[in-house]
């Protein structure tokens, strides 16, 4: 294949990768975290990989608003799948969200339309900037999402949308929670609760102090709550259903539990095993590759943690593309109920079950908890949650991206806890 005359333009590889990621999400329906790795592997410079990811994420985060600007500057609407529209999306995302100079955006954007409507793209981009139009304070939610959340959270939807405006900070869970203040000081971060340090995003995770020695792992603050609700293990046995990629498994092992980590994805379990080796907790974990709906445990457990498959809409701060997909809600809800039954059956009398989902849909969280009748509720206490958050009146944990706004926000999450009658 002959080289393009534009191949030597500095920064073009990052923009081309961002365009390919946008295409994978919008045209092929792939999750960004699935499509990005093979695309980014072709880029040599780490800074360019980070830039490509940031461009794609911001274009997806503000997609409806960027499209409104594009449509307002064109006499004839561009088709949704037109390459020129996608190139304009990433050009405007760079200028309006990442603060890159317009001349650099033009120099690395227009070559992506070689043989196409470059003059049109240049004109639309320049027209938007010339009018001084910017993006709103909060991104416009896709209408199906907005309709669901207006019904579910009528008093929260504006705050939730505002919580999606910025990429989230980097949250770390510490292997040794007793060293929280020490690590917060060493890393220049903020301790939001014992065993947790929050950092402003800065560079590659692997380059952060403590990574090589396994002192911590990346895990959103909300995602760290369910395992905390089981407390110290003291050598007792816990079943971590749907365990990969392993954040909760590592929490449980670090808290003294003997963990059976089960997941049906062999690829994700390989990542879990690598994470366990890095943090030095593999000796306390038995990894089982199996479908939770088919697997028959050989013993019953002192506790079960079920972080169930879900729509993952609560992760939209860091995965904005999740709001552009239409999940099979009915199928997910049926699977969640079946898994809850399986989890309760694996629990010894007097044992504790925690159910969690990273979804903002009540049907996947609150309605599932209401359905559980065979176990006794064990209400969550305020002192088990990050400062600034409180249990619901029912004793459940519910977080959304509009909470903890002054501290950098939090993912959407739900968790409930029960005890099996002795």
């Amino acid at each position: 294949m002959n080289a393009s005359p534009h191949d030597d333009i500095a920064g073009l590889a990052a923009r081309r990768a961002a365009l390919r990621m946008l295409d994978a999400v919008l045209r092929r329906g792939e999750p960004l975290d699935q499509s990005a790795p093979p695309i980014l592997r072709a880029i040599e410079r780490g800074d360019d990989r980070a830039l490509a990811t940031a461009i794609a994420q911001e274009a997806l985060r503000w997609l409806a608003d960027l499209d409104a600007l594009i449509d307002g500057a064109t006499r004839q609407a561009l088709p949704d799948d037109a390459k020129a529209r996608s190139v304009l999306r990433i050009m405007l995302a760079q200028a309006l969200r990442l603060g890159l100079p317009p001349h650099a955006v033009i120099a690395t954007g227009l070559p992506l339309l070689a043989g196409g409507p470059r003059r049109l793209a240049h004109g639309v981009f320049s027209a938007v900037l010339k009018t001084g139009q910017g993006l709103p304070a909060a991104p416009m939610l896709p209408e199906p999402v907005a309709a669901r959340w207006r019904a579910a959270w009528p008093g929260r939807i504006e705050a939730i949308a505002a919580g999606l405006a910025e990429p989230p900070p980097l949250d770390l869970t510490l292997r040794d929670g007793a060293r929280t203040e020490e690590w917060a000081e060493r890393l220049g971060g903020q301790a939001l609760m014992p065993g947790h340090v929050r950092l402003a995003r800065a560079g590659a995770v692997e380059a952060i102090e403590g990574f090589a020695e396994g002192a911590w792992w990346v895990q959103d603050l909300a995602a760290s709550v369910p395992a905390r609700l089981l407390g110290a293990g003291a050598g007792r046995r816990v079943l971590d259903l749907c365990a990969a990629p392993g954040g909760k498994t590592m929490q449980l092992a670090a808290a003294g539990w003997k963990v059976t980590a089960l997941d049906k994805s062999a690829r994700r379990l390989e990542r879990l095993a690598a994470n366990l080796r890095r943090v030095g907790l593999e000796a306390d974990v038995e990894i089982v590759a199996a479908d939770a709906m088919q697997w028959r445990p050989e013993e019953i457990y002192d506790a079960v943690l079920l972080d169930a498959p879900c729509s993952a809409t609560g992760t939209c701060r860091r995965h904005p593309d999740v709001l552009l997909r239409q999940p099979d809600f009915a199928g997910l809800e049926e699977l969640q109920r079946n898994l809850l039954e399986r989890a309760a059956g694996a629990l010894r009398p007097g044992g504790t079950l925690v159910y969690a989902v990273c979804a903002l849909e009540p049907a996947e969280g609150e309605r599932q908890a209401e359905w559980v009748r065979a176990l006794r509720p064990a209400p969550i206490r305020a002192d088990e949650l990050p400062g600034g958050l409180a249990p619901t009146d029912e004793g459940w944990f519910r977080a959304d991206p509009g909470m903890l706004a002054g501290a950098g926000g939090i993912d959407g999450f739900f968790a409930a806890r029960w005890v099996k009658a002795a």
Side-chain angles (χ1 to χ4, degrees):
M1 181 182 295
N2 294 330
S4 164
H6 305 294
D7 283 348
D8 59 349
I9 297 176
L12 182 59
R15 278 71 174 188
R16 183 177 288 121
L19 185 62
R20 291 180 60 195
M21 287 189 274
L22 207 62
D23 181 68
V25 171
L26 299 179
R27 191 171 62 84
R28 300 202 298 272
E30 296 178 6
L32 183 60
D33 59 357
Q34 173 185 314
S35 61
I39 294 173
L40 294 174
R41 276 197 291 270
I43 301 179
E44 294 182 4
R45 286 170 43 86
D47 289 349
D48 282 345
R49 290 193 294 271
L51 176 59
T53 302
I55 294 170
Q57 287 181 334
E58 289 305 288
L60 292 167
R61 190 183 308 279
W62 296 89
L63 189 72
D65 303 282
L66 293 171
D67 280 346
L69 292 176
I70 293 167
D71 291 340
T74 53
R75 294 179 181 176
Q76 183 174 356
L78 291 167
D80 286 346
D81 60 352
K83 186 175 184 181
R85 179 180 288 275
S86 287
V87 170
L88 280 165
R89 287 162 171 163
I90 69 170
M91 289 175 69
L92 289 170
Q94 292 172 74
L96 300 179
R97 288 298 301 163
L98 302 182
L100 298 181
H103 70 272
V105 174
I106 292 170
T108 55
L110 296 186
L112 299 173
L113 287 170
R118 298 175 61 181
R119 181 175 296 179
L120 169 66
H122 193 175
V124 172
F125 177 77
S126 299
V128 171
L129 296 193
K130 189 176 297 183
T131 62
Q133 294 182 82
L135 294 168
M140 186 189 310
L141 297 172
E143 185 49 40
V145 176
R148 292 199 311 267
W149 291 355
R150 274 194 295 266
W153 315 110
R156 294 292 306 163
I157 188 166
E158 290 82 5
I160 292 171
L164 309 185
E166 297 293 338
L170 186 67
D171 283 353
L172 308 179
T173 295
L174 302 178
R175 185 181 59 199
D176 183 359
R179 301 176 63 189
T180 303
E181 295 300 329
E182 174 193 340
W183 276 106
E185 183 176 352
R186 288 172 67 173
L187 299 176
Q190 179 183 11
L192 297 185
M193 67 185 307
H196 179 92
V197 174
R198 172 164 286 182
L199 308 180
R201 282 194 172 274
V205 169
E206 295 82 359
I208 299 174
E209 182 182 0
F211 176 86
E213 65 189 83
W216 48 261
W217 53 90
V218 176
Q219 185 179 35
D220 186 80
L221 179 61
S224 74
V225 168
R228 296 175 185 274
L229 299 178
L230 291 176
R236 292 177 295 160
R237 300 195 61 82
V238 61
L239 172 62
D240 184 6
L241 282 173
C242 311
K248 297 174 183 67
T249 300
M250 290 185 284
Q251 280 183 278
L252 293 168
W257 291 91
K258 298 296 182 182
V259 189
T260 297
L262 183 141
D263 201 280
K264 68 179 182 180
S265 170
R267 179 182 59 82
R268 285 163 58 85
L269 284 174
E270 289 176 3
R271 181 180 170 191
L272 184 150
N275 287 335
L276 287 168
R277 287 192 295 272
R278 182 177 66 83
V279 299
L281 292 170
E282 67 270 32
D284 295 317
V285 179
E286 175 193 12
I287 295 176
V288 178
D291 185 333
M293 291 305 302
Q294 306 296 327
W295 181 67
R296 296 289 185 271
E298 297 179 355
E299 57 184 314
I300 53 177
Y301 291 85
D302 299 293
V304 178
L305 174 56
L306 171 58
D307 184 7
C310 68
S311 62
T313 52
T315 67
C316 50
R317 293 190 311 150
R318 65 192 69 251
H319 301 297
D321 57 302
V322 74
L323 299 184
L324 304 175
R325 301 196 291 270
Q326 181 59 34
D328 175 12
F329 287 111
L332 286 169
E333 291 157 26
E334 181 180 6
L335 176 60
Q336 289 155 5
R337 290 198 177 188
N338 290 336
L339 286 170
L340 269 166
E341 287 187 334
R342 301 281 297 171
L347 197 62
R348 69 163 179 81
T352 302
L353 168 64
V354 169
Y355 168 78
V357 285
C358 55
L360 280 170
E361 276 53 44
E364 300 181 76
E366 287 82 351
R367 302 296 83 81
Q368 299 290 30
E370 291 171 352
W371 174 81
V372 175
R373 302 293 186 190
L375 305 176
R376 174 170 57 84
I380 296 165
R381 305 185 309 274
D383 64 2
E384 297 177 287
L385 300 179
L389 300 181
T392 67
D393 292 343
E394 299 84 356
W396 302 326
F397 167 61
R398 164 57 75 187
D400 70 49
M403 297 176 178
L404 300 183
I410 191 169
D411 278 359
F413 233 90
F414 175 85
R417 181 174 60 190
W418 301 267
V419 173
K420 193 169 188 177

